[in-house]
Amino acid sequence: MDLVLHACFNVSYIEGASSPWLIPKIPVAKVTNWEFTTLLDIPSLILINSHIPPEFQKKWRLLFSSQVHGENFAKFVSNIKNQGPSVLMIKDKDDHVFGVFAADSWKLNPDFYGTHRSFLFTLAPTVGVYQSTGINDHYMYLNQGQATLPNGLGVGGQLNYFGLWMERDNYGVGHSKAEPTCTTFNSPQLSGKPDFEIEVLEVWGVGPEPGEDVDADEDISILDRDPGAEALLELAGKPRASHGLRDKQNDNTPDQHDLPRDQYKTVEG
């Protein structure tokens, strides 16, 4: 199991541990509404987070959920604009779950923009991460109010033939075009059908909030600094297991929110 985790999730051994612990990094989450079910489970969270640049892995915060904020494209754009890197996930009406890590802030722009650190992914029914091919730089596109250009959110491919696309004027409708793959990410069709309907839309900002100072105190558990720190684990079905145990830990024992060995069963196939 250790070898599987090491190969699949880029996790590493804890120095000085009494046994060879492998720690899949679980980010902490900031949420303001608990009345929804996230599309994430623990394996999916580990998979996505392990491919995100390290400086963005520690904190996730909910920016938008159609279950919380409603099905409105204007509200969606308002919530995700200028919020730094983010993870956008869609569940379509064919039960396919897929999305994008956007390495830059979403902003209104009539042209493609962004960097090669963005990637597309699928979580169900198949699992895959699709990174930049370098063939083009069509990483991110967000536009509205243009008469001669597509209005909506797009990732990869080209105008009107995106690897992932969401309509502005017809919320809940999108497409994933790939014949045979998206040129930007070498990704297949992500959705159940080329033209899909959205069942659930969810976006998480990752890393420090814009303007936030990075906390340099790495020795204090984020669970102790932030009362909402266990949020993402609980949303994904794994409540914190360490209440009342802090005084028994020593310097070589990993924080409980980092998934101890007996919880690795959650990532087995």
Side-chain angles (χ1 to χ4, degrees):
M1 193 64 226
D2 285 354
L3 292 176
V4 173
L5 286 168
H6 182 69
C8 295
F9 300 122
N10 300 321
V11 295
S12 57
Y13 291 101
I14 294 294
E15 292 292 334
S18 58
S19 61
W21 289 74
L22 279 169
I23 308 302
K25 292 301 182 182
I26 302 296
V28 298
K30 178 179 179 181
V31 296
T32 57
N33 189 314
W34 293 82
E35 300 301 320
F36 81 106
T37 302
T38 179
L39 293 174
L40 291 163
D41 56 20
I42 294 296
S44 300
L45 177 57
I46 294 172
L47 175 68
I48 296 170
N49 208 43
S50 68
H51 286 83
I52 290 173
E55 62 267 32
F56 305 130
Q57 290 181 354
K58 291 184 179 180
K59 295 181 181 181
W60 288 35
R61 63 194 188 278
L62 183 67
L63 299 180
F64 181 87
S65 168
S66 56
Q67 302 174 78
V68 175
H69 302 102
E71 299 180 349
N72 183 283
F73 194 87
K75 176 65 174 175
F76 162 70
V77 171
S78 175
N79 282 24
I80 70 170
K81 274 196 316 180
N82 303 317
Q83 292 295 319
S86 60
V87 173
L88 181 154
M89 294 176 291
I90 292 171
K91 179 181 179 181
D92 69 16
K93 293 194 174 180
D94 293 307
D95 291 328
H96 285 234
V97 181
F98 51 91
V100 57
F101 165 66
D104 295 87
S105 283
W106 288 106
K107 60 184 180 181
L108 293 175
N109 194 324
D111 299 310
F112 283 100
Y113 69 98
T115 70
H116 69 280
R117 298 199 294 178
S118 298
F119 59 82
L120 291 170
F121 59 84
T122 55
L123 300 178
T126 60
V127 176
V129 174
Y130 308 99
Q131 297 177 314
S132 171
T133 62
I135 292 176
N136 58 46
D137 58 359
H138 297 175
Y139 301 116
M140 299 169 63
Y141 176 92
L142 179 61
N143 194 30
Q144 58 184 9
Q146 296 282 333
T148 58
L149 291 170
N151 290 305
L153 181 148
V155 179
Q158 56 188 323
L159 297 182
N160 298 313
Y161 201 89
F162 293 89
L164 173 59
W165 170 251
M166 294 172 49
E167 292 273 356
R168 176 194 179 276
D169 297 324
N170 190 10
Y171 177 89
V173 172
H175 73 237
S176 178
K177 304 293 188 181
E179 291 185 1
T181 60
C182 168
T183 54
T184 309
F185 297 102
N186 197 34
S187 54
Q189 177 184 304
L190 308 176
S191 48
K193 301 181 180 70
D195 297 297
F196 63 81
E197 295 182 60
I198 296 173
E199 182 74 24
V200 178
L201 174 62
E202 187 172 311
V203 186
W204 293 84
V206 298
E209 296 185 43
E212 177 186 356
D213 291 333
V214 177
D215 191 343
D217 189 355
E218 297 293 340
D219 295 326
I220 301 175
S221 168
I222 190 69
L223 291 177
D224 294 327
R225 291 197 302 267
D226 183 355
E230 64 251 60
L232 195 48
L233 281 177
E234 294 195 9
L235 286 172
K238 283 290 180 182
R240 180 180 178 183
S242 61
H243 288 296
L245 299 179
R246 284 291 172 195
D247 56 342
K248 298 180 182 179
Q249 293 183 349
N250 58 46
D251 291 341
N252 293 328
T253 304
D255 290 335
Q256 295 294 321
H257 69 285
D258 278 332
L259 279 188
R261 178 183 293 277
D262 62 357
Q263 292 185 17
Y264 288 164
K265 292 181 289 186
T266 59
V267 299
E268 292 179 352

